């Protein structure tokens, strides 16, 4: 890439610092870990691999990195791109072939979005493969904007307050998912991907679908950010600062037995007659 410009250098340092902070804050990677980095061929996963390879060099602990791409047999998928890129990097990698494309096209009616089913099939395959190769952590490229978008999607459409946690143990207990880019914003990742000239592979299955709920939420957040810069960051901080007693979930806070504290000091000051 040659010498970086001042802005490119600042951007690279910022992404590396933010990823390092997220890894440290949530204890995402430990000494001796084997981290399976899931590569889709998009800007986020390329940036994830790039940042983790840097952290591997400078971290005070030792951990392995293995890159894994899932070839879902989408028509026109350029199978040569990722192997060529990963060979040039010199990183260990695997290409997992699984025809989930045909399954999705068969089960999802024409005009309906395929993201949910596609994601579940892909996730299940990758979980299984991580277990097979002995990976102790599975790294995904979701960033701060993805997390905030997911929060609103769940609230608007599922009636639940949840997002994408920076670190998650899968339901089967056999996989720990980490999101080292949790503190990074999409705008920075896009700029980094542009100047690094990653060989982007577009998703022809779902990336071209219109009227996705996620796209609607993304546009809403982008409009908020234009009108009030910093709002997305503030929302993300809110996800890190949850106060159960100020919400309404009876499973998180015991509202039923809430009573006055008879031992508490009175708010009223005794008035002395003058």
């Amino acid at each position: 890439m040659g010498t970086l410009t001042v802005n490119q250098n600042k951007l690279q340092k910022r992404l590396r610092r933010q990823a390092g902070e997220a890894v440290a804050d949530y204890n995402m990677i430990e000494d001796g870990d084997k981290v399976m980095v899931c590569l889709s061929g998009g800007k986020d996963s390329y940036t994830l691999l790039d940042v983790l390879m840097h952290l591997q060099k400078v971290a005070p602990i030792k951990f392995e990195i293995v890159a894994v791409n899932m070839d879902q047999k989408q028509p026109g998928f350029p199978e040569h791109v990722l192997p060529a890129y990963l060979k040039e990097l010199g990183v260990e990698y695997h290409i997992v072939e699984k025809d989930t494309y045909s399954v999705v096209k068969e089960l999802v009616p024409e005009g309906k979005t395929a993201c949910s089913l596609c994601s579940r099939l892909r996730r299940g395959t990758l979980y299984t493969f991580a277990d097979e190769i002995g990976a102790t952590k599975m790294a995904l490229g979701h960033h701060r904007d993805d997390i905030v978008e997911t929060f609103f999607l769940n609230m608007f459409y599922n009636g639940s307050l949840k997002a994408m946690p920076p670190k998650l143990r899968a339901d089967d207990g056999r996989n720990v998912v980490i999101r080292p880019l949790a503190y990074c914003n999409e705008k920075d990742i896009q700029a980094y991907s542009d100047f690094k000239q990653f060989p982007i592979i577009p998703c022809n299955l779902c990336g071209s679908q219109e009227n996705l709920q996620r796209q609607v939420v993304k546009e809403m957040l982008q409009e908020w950010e234009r009108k009030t810069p910093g709002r997305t960051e503030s929302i993300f901080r809110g996800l890190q600062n949850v106060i159960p007693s100020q919400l309404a979930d009876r499973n998180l806070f015991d509202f039923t037995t809430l009573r006055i504290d008879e031992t508490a000091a009175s708010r009223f000051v005794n008035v002395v007659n003058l």
Side-chain angles (χ1 to χ4, degrees), residues 144-162:
R144 185 199 67 189
D145 299 66
D146 286 326
I147 293 172
V148 173
E149 288 164 15
T150 301
F151 168 72
F152 281 103
L153 280 169
N154 280 313
M155 183 167 60
F156 291 165
Y157 300 105
N158 296 329
S160 62
L161 288 181
K162 66 177 184 177

Side-chain angles (χ1 to χ4, degrees), residues 1-16 50 54 191-198:
M1 291 297 297
T3 304
L4 302 183
T5 67
V6 173
N7 287 337
Q8 288 171 346
N9 188 49
K10 287 182 178 179
L11 174 60
Q12 181 168 261
K13 286 183 175 179
R14 180 163 64 250
L15 287 172
R16 289 174 173 178
D50 183 277
H54 169 74
Y192 191 66
S193 175
D194 290 343
F195 94 73
K196 292 286 285 188
Q197 298 180 349
F198 293 135

Side-chain angles (χ1 to χ4, degrees), residues 206-221:
C206 60
S208 59
Q209 294 182 101
E210 298 180 355
N211 300 321
L212 292 174
Q213 293 172 341
R214 181 172 291 276
Q215 185 60 36
V216 173
V217 170
K218 180 186 286 289
E219 291 171 359
M220 176 193 77
L221 291 170

Side-chain angles (χ1 to χ4, degrees), residues 69-80 95-105 118 122 204-205:
N69 167 256
M70 184 175 164
D71 181 355
Q72 299 177 262
K73 297 305 175 183
Q74 296 170 223
F77 182 78
E79 298 179 359
H80 65 285
I95 306 297
V96 180
E97 298 187 7
K98 185 82 169 180
D99 187 4
T100 60
Y101 177 84
S102 297
V103 176
V104 170
K105 297 301 288 184
C118 179
R122 185 173 62 250
N204 298 321
L205 178 60

Side-chain angles (χ1 to χ4, degrees), residues 144 147-149 151-152 155 220-221 224-225 228 230-242:
R144 185 199 67 189
I147 293 172
V148 173
E149 288 164 15
F151 168 72
F152 281 103
M155 183 167 60
M220 176 193 77
L221 291 170
W224 285 0
E225 193 68 25
T228 312
R231 177 170 288 185
T232 305
E233 174 62 25
S234 180
I235 295 169
F236 181 78
R237 288 200 306 272
L239 296 178
Q240 298 176 295
N241 187 30
V242 177

